[in-house]
Amino acid sequence: MGQSLTTWKELIQKKRQGQGQGQGKIQFQIHAITKYLRALHPQNLSLLFSHPAASSFLSLFSDKSMAPRGKPKPSPASSSTQAPSLEDLFATLHRHVENNDLAKVVKVADQVLAIAPGDEDAIHCKVVALIRSEAIDKALNVIKAASSLPIDLSSYKAYCLYRQNKLEEALDLIRGLEKTPMVLQLESQIFYRLGKMDSCIDSYEKLQKLKIDSDDLKANIMASLVAGGRPGEVDAIMSASKLKSSKSYELVYNAACALVEKKKYPEAEEMLLHARRVGQETLMEENYVGDEIEAELATITVQLAYVRQMMGHGQESVDEYSKVIKRGLEDDPSLAIASNNLITLRNGKEVADSLRKLDNLMSKVNSKNPFEFSSGLEFRLNPKQKEVIYSNRVLLLLLANKIDQAQELVSALQEMYPESTTSILLQAAVFVREKKVPKAEEILTQYSNKYPKNCISVLLALAQIAATAGHFQISSEALLKVAEIQHMPATVATLVSLWERLGDINNAASVFDASIEWWKNSMDGERNLLVLMQEAASFKLKHGKEGEAARLYEELVRSKGSVEALVGLVQTAAKSDLDKAEQYEKQLKPLPGLKGVNVEVLEKTSGAKHVEGGSHVAKMEISEEVKKAKAKKRKRKPKYPKGFDPANPGPLPDPERWLPKRERSTYRPKRKDKRAQIRGAQGAVSRDKHDSTATTSGTSGTGVSNSGATSSKAGQAGAGSSKGGSQGAAAGNAEQNKGSSKSRKKKSRN
């Protein structure tokens, strides 16, 4: 419990001597495990952020204790009832404090207050016991009820407001208090939660001046330095703390986070593994079991997965994140970070499942604010963490084509983070997705004018959106405002291309001139200067500025001795000054193999002529030895199939014999039988067929040949006179039809 508590008799004795005030207090710990997410810079507004965010820190307050002071013996009561005396109640209260039995501390404190209303020690004990038992609302009610008493509970009230995430109210209350170690610790933690890292570090430095030195304090200072973008200052604390022999895994973990911020991933991985070993040993000594140890060290597990992800081990990171999520540990911030980082590894795939994971982080109770996080995350995630998760959710909504929901969330983000570049970039992305490019350009321009010091990413996004939409003037003006990269070769190439498309060659040339002059004054820009001068000379030669191009080439030849520049100078001078061109042409080295070529004779010739039907390659003279060597080669006789006579080969084989029948030129598809199909019972004949056979039956009855034509009357008479004759004729006709169909089939096969 930190400091040892004095015995009851000693407290009574000090109380009698007037020395009891301010002695032992009930020990309690302010839990403030915080995590930090690095902000992501969008590279492409239409895609999910390619970079993950998961740098986390442990931050624990040092212990403070408070115990009840001794009370003098009260005068004997006149009542006949045998109620416990005040002395016995304080003895019992002291025993429960030593046993850390918080529920009984509250119960006995109520009994003391029933006998002695307004007792300062009893109220202190009750408030601290309620805070330690996580009954923050009850503790705040007790503090409010005791506001009329001459008891200073401002620090406890500020802590309760801090636990309720009412950070501004807690900070206002602290400003009027004396800067005790407890107040400074609480103040620094509030600043950390608000994202004001410089003020947080100042509060910790004041604590150090009070000669308060502990591993928890060092861990908090390291966390605030890394979160404030000052990881380089952590080295001094790391060297003084002897991390290899340290038994505080929080301290080792924060040192690893500093290495992550410096992008020293192999060293960070080694430090995180060491922190996990130290944490396992420490927690096992404190009688933690397997699942409890995993829950306590979940932050280290997630951070280790992030480091391996940065080292290119994506599949290992996916496995670690998935394990953390499936276990369902009680560490809600670690689960949120694991879910966020797992989504970034999917690269825009499985959008529905990713949205479901982020929706699970939101509160299902508060219908007024649909973007509020769950109770386990709302108070334990800092503003930067929440902004990153919100941003990823907007991008997922855009990928899922849920534009209305994305617009609603972006509007809420602009209210929560009015000065953030991320919210304005997301708003521009929504407008671009809705094909409202002018609105996107307008809001980005307004933001860059309002916050000129923090708008590099906004100006780059504006340049990209405008260039894609064909608004080259807006794009070039946006790039010219980014002074940090204005003279880089890539930026110069983009600006020149934009001005060239606008038809403004003079502005394009001035971009080259300004960049060349800037790199001439730079200490380490020789390589970029050489590239820019060559490109500028080529550009000016292309657009008819031979004089300026010649000066650039000549300067390159004199200073760098570049062969390419010498060739360009000869080509440029040949158009305006032949004497200078001939002078520099002499500096070019002759090409090998051209000494035997007479240039004057070659120039007088009309050139090579194309001979139709002839070979384009000159015939080479073949020596006699080569001819004899070729003649000696024995020619092999060709192999013929069995029974083949080469003297009488006969007709040539079909060249299409290896092709399927359907692909041959002689293939004809089979004709379909378009005759009506007979339906009905077996042996049934259709009416039309019966009528046609009846006409032929007359010919058989009268002895008329099939070649002669019969009249309709004769057919009718034959049909009516002989029933059997008609049936025989029908049968004969059917046989004739069968024979004709077979003959057609045979022909089609041939």
Side-chain angles (χ1 to χ4, degrees):
M1 287 182 45
Q3 301 176 358
S4 60
L5 299 177
T6 55
T7 62
W8 167 243
K9 293 183 179 179
E10 292 174 348
L11 287 172
I12 294 295
Q13 184 178 1
K14 290 179 180 179
K15 178 66 178 178
R16 291 177 178 175
Q17 296 175 355
Q19 301 175 357
Q21 188 170 358
Q23 296 299 320
K25 298 181 179 180
I26 293 179
Q27 175 192 13
F28 70 102
Q29 186 180 32
I30 300 178
H31 298 278
I33 301 176
T34 60
K35 302 191 181 299
Y36 167 71
L37 283 161
R38 287 177 37 231
L40 303 180
H41 301 284
Q43 303 296 327
N44 189 340
L45 295 177
S46 64
L47 298 177
L48 193 67
F49 289 110
S50 55
H51 304 288
S55 294
S56 309
F57 306 99
L58 290 175
S59 179
L60 302 175
F61 271 125
S62 59
D63 294 341
K64 292 292 171 185
S65 59
M66 185 184 72
R69 297 194 304 270
K71 292 292 179 181
K73 294 182 180 181
S75 58
S78 58
S79 176
S80 58
T81 60
Q82 294 181 354
S85 63
L86 195 60
E87 180 179 357
D88 295 337
L89 289 175
F90 268 96
T92 306
L93 182 62
H94 182 74
R95 185 173 65 256
H96 293 325
V97 168
E98 286 186 337
N99 295 332
N100 199 27
D101 195 343
L102 302 177
K104 292 182 179 179
V105 168
V106 174
K107 183 178 179 180
V108 175
D110 287 336
Q111 294 177 1
V112 172
L113 292 173
I115 299 174
D119 186 90
E120 182 178 357
D121 290 333
I123 293 175
H124 271 280
C125 291
K126 183 177 181 180
V127 169
V128 174
L130 289 172
I131 290 175
R132 288 199 60 196
S133 60
E134 302 295 328
I136 305 299
D137 295 335
K138 293 181 180 180
L140 198 57
N141 292 333
V142 173
I143 293 171
K144 291 179 180 179
S147 58
S148 60
L149 300 175
I151 305 174
D152 186 13
L153 300 173
S154 301
S155 58
Y156 298 105
K157 183 179 179 180
Y159 177 71
C160 291
L161 293 172
Y162 162 79
R163 292 293 301 275
Q164 291 181 339
N165 209 35
K166 299 177 181 179
L167 303 179
E168 294 294 344
E169 294 182 30
L171 192 60
D172 292 338
L173 189 59
I174 280 178
R175 283 175 182 150
L177 300 179
E178 181 183 356
K179 301 300 181 183
T180 61
M182 177 181 176
V183 172
L184 286 173
Q185 285 181 328
L186 184 56
E187 182 184 52
S188 61
Q189 199 68 13
I190 292 173
F191 282 135
Y192 188 95
R193 200 64 91 73
L194 290 171
K196 300 178 180 179
M197 298 305 164
D198 293 335
S199 301
C200 177
I201 295 170
D202 292 339
S203 299
Y204 282 127
E205 289 176 351
K206 292 177 183 177
L207 277 171
Q208 285 183 320
K209 291 179 181 179
L210 296 176
K211 296 182 180 181
I212 297 176
D213 189 14
S214 65
D215 288 342
D216 294 334
L217 180 60
K218 291 177 182 177
N220 284 351
I221 295 175
M222 292 168 67
S224 57
L225 286 172
V226 179
R230 296 157 60 179
E233 301 179 24
V234 179
D235 295 338
I237 302 175
M238 292 171 60
S239 58
S241 301
K242 298 180 181 180
L243 293 177
K244 292 185 178 181
S245 60
S246 177
K247 293 185 179 181
S248 173
Y249 67 92
E250 297 95 345
L251 191 64
V252 181
Y253 173 78
N254 284 351
C257 291
L259 293 172
V260 171
E261 197 69 17
K262 296 177 184 177
K263 298 183 179 181
K264 297 181 179 180
Y265 299 120
E267 295 88 340
E269 182 183 19
E270 183 180 354
M271 190 73 72
L272 286 169
L273 292 173
H274 177 57
R276 187 162 65 180
R277 286 194 298 269
V278 173
Q280 289 173 348
E281 293 173 0
T282 304
L283 295 173
M284 288 177 67
E285 291 175 358
E286 297 178 3
N287 297 325
Y288 279 75
V289 294
D291 292 341
E292 295 175 346
I293 293 175
E294 291 294 332
E296 289 291 329
L297 302 180
T299 304
I300 300 177
T301 303
V302 173
Q303 184 73 335
L304 188 59
Y306 168 74
V307 169
R308 287 171 177 168
Q309 181 180 350
M310 292 294 99
M311 294 172 66
H313 307 308
Q315 189 57 45
E316 293 183 18
S317 302
V318 170
D319 296 339
E320 291 295 330
Y321 293 141
S322 302
K323 287 180 183 178
V324 171
I325 295 171
K326 288 180 181 178
R327 286 173 185 168
L329 303 177
E330 296 180 358
D331 191 356
D332 293 334
S334 295
L335 290 174
I337 294 171
S339 301
N340 181 78
N341 291 359
L342 181 61
I343 290 169
T344 59
L345 282 169
R346 292 176 174 176
N347 296 324
K349 299 178 182 178
E350 302 181 29
V351 177
D353 182 65
S354 300
L355 276 173
R356 209 161 30 244
K357 279 182 168 55
L358 292 186
D359 289 340
N360 292 336
L361 305 179
M362 301 299 166
S363 176
K364 304 297 187 296
V365 179
N366 191 355
S367 58
K368 296 182 180 179
N369 184 9
F371 308 119
E372 182 179 350
F373 284 89
S374 60
S375 59
L377 295 172
E378 185 66 28
F379 303 148
R380 299 179 67 180
L381 292 177
N382 57 39
K384 191 174 292 186
Q385 293 174 320
K386 297 176 183 178
E387 184 182 11
V388 170
I389 296 176
Y390 284 139
S391 303
N392 285 345
R393 190 167 187 269
V394 171
L395 295 175
L396 287 171
L397 290 171
L398 289 177
L399 288 175
N401 204 26
K402 298 180 179 180
I403 310 299
D404 296 337
Q405 296 182 27
Q407 180 60 57
E408 184 182 0
L409 181 53
V410 167
S411 301
L413 279 176
Q414 289 180 340
E415 295 179 1
M416 291 187 283
Y417 311 99
E419 299 181 5
S420 174
T421 59
T422 304
S423 60
I424 201 70
L425 288 173
L426 292 173
Q427 180 64 77
V430 173
F431 281 145
V432 170
R433 189 63 180 274
E434 293 177 336
K435 298 182 180 180
K436 299 177 181 178
V437 175
K439 284 189 176 182
E441 295 174 349
E442 181 183 355
I443 62 170
L444 292 175
T445 304
Q446 291 175 354
Y447 184 90
S448 62
N449 295 333
K450 188 175 181 180
Y451 304 102
K453 295 182 179 180
N454 188 27
C455 63
I456 295 178
S457 58
V458 174
L459 289 172
L460 292 176
L462 175 60
Q464 180 182 356
I465 293 171
T468 305
H471 305 157
F472 304 123
Q473 184 72 29
I474 299 174
S475 179
S476 58
E477 291 175 356
L479 280 178
L480 287 172
K481 292 180 182 179
V482 187
E484 291 81 358
I485 61 171
Q486 186 175 354
H487 301 295
M488 299 300 294
T491 310
V492 172
T494 306
L495 284 170
V496 169
S497 177
L498 291 172
W499 287 119
E500 194 174 8
R501 293 191 180 190
L502 288 169
D504 196 342
I505 305 303
N506 293 329
N507 263 335
S510 64
V511 170
F512 271 123
D513 296 338
S515 299
I516 290 171
E517 190 65 27
W518 190 86
W519 284 109
K520 284 181 179 179
N521 299 326
S522 179
M523 298 296 294
D524 54 349
E526 293 184 2
R527 184 177 179 182
N528 291 332
L529 179 62
L530 178 62
V531 172
L532 288 174
M533 290 181 70
Q534 289 178 347
E535 293 297 329
S538 177
F539 176 81
K540 291 181 179 181
L541 179 62
K542 175 183 175 182
H543 292 283
K545 299 185 177 184
E546 290 85 1
E548 297 180 14
R551 284 195 295 271
L552 287 171
Y553 279 132
E554 194 170 2
E555 185 178 352
L556 281 172
V557 171
R558 290 177 180 175
S559 60
K560 308 296 180 182
S562 173
V563 178
E564 296 179 0
L566 184 58
V567 174
L569 178 58
V570 172
Q571 292 176 350
T572 307
K575 297 181 180 181
S576 58
D577 192 347
L578 291 177
D579 295 336
K580 183 183 289 188
E582 291 178 356
Q583 178 184 354
Y584 282 105
E585 185 270 336
K586 295 177 182 179
Q587 299 181 16
L588 291 172
K589 295 180 180 180
L591 293 175
L594 296 180
K595 291 182 179 181
V597 178
N598 192 337
V599 179
E600 295 179 357
V601 176
L602 187 61
E603 289 179 348
K604 291 178 182 179
T605 60
S606 58
K609 294 183 179 180
H610 176 71
V611 180
E612 294 185 2
S615 175
H616 295 281
V617 182
K619 293 183 179 180
M620 298 178 63
E621 294 183 359
I622 303 174
S623 62
E624 294 295 333
E625 296 179 357
V626 176
K627 290 181 179 179
K628 290 180 180 180
K630 289 185 177 180
K632 288 181 180 179
K633 290 184 178 180
R634 183 173 57 87
K635 293 184 179 180
R636 294 184 179 180
K637 295 181 180 180
K639 292 182 179 181
Y640 298 109
K642 187 177 181 180
F644 177 77
D645 185 9
N648 187 18
L652 295 175
D654 185 8
E656 297 180 352
R657 62 188 181 278
W658 307 116
L659 295 176
K661 289 185 178 181
R662 288 182 176 273
E663 297 180 8
R664 298 180 189 179
S665 59
T666 58
Y667 174 74
R668 295 292 182 271
K670 295 180 181 179
R671 295 177 60 186
K672 293 183 179 180
D673 189 5
K674 298 182 179 180
R675 293 174 298 172
Q677 299 293 332
I678 300 174
R679 296 181 181 180
Q682 184 174 2
V685 180
S686 64
R687 181 180 296 275
D688 296 337
K689 191 170 183 179
H690 178 74
D691 294 341
S692 62
T693 55
T695 58
T696 59
S697 64
T699 60
S700 61
T702 57
V704 178
S705 65
N706 291 334
S707 60
T710 60
S711 64
S712 60
K713 290 182 179 180
Q716 290 173 1
S721 61
S722 177
K723 200 171 187 179
S726 65
Q727 290 177 353
N733 193 17
E735 292 295 331
Q736 185 178 1
N737 289 339
K738 287 182 181 179
S740 63
S741 64
K742 288 181 180 179
S743 63
R744 280 198 300 269
K745 289 181 182 178
K746 289 180 181 179
K747 288 179 182 179
S748 64
R749 286 173 186 165
N750 294 332

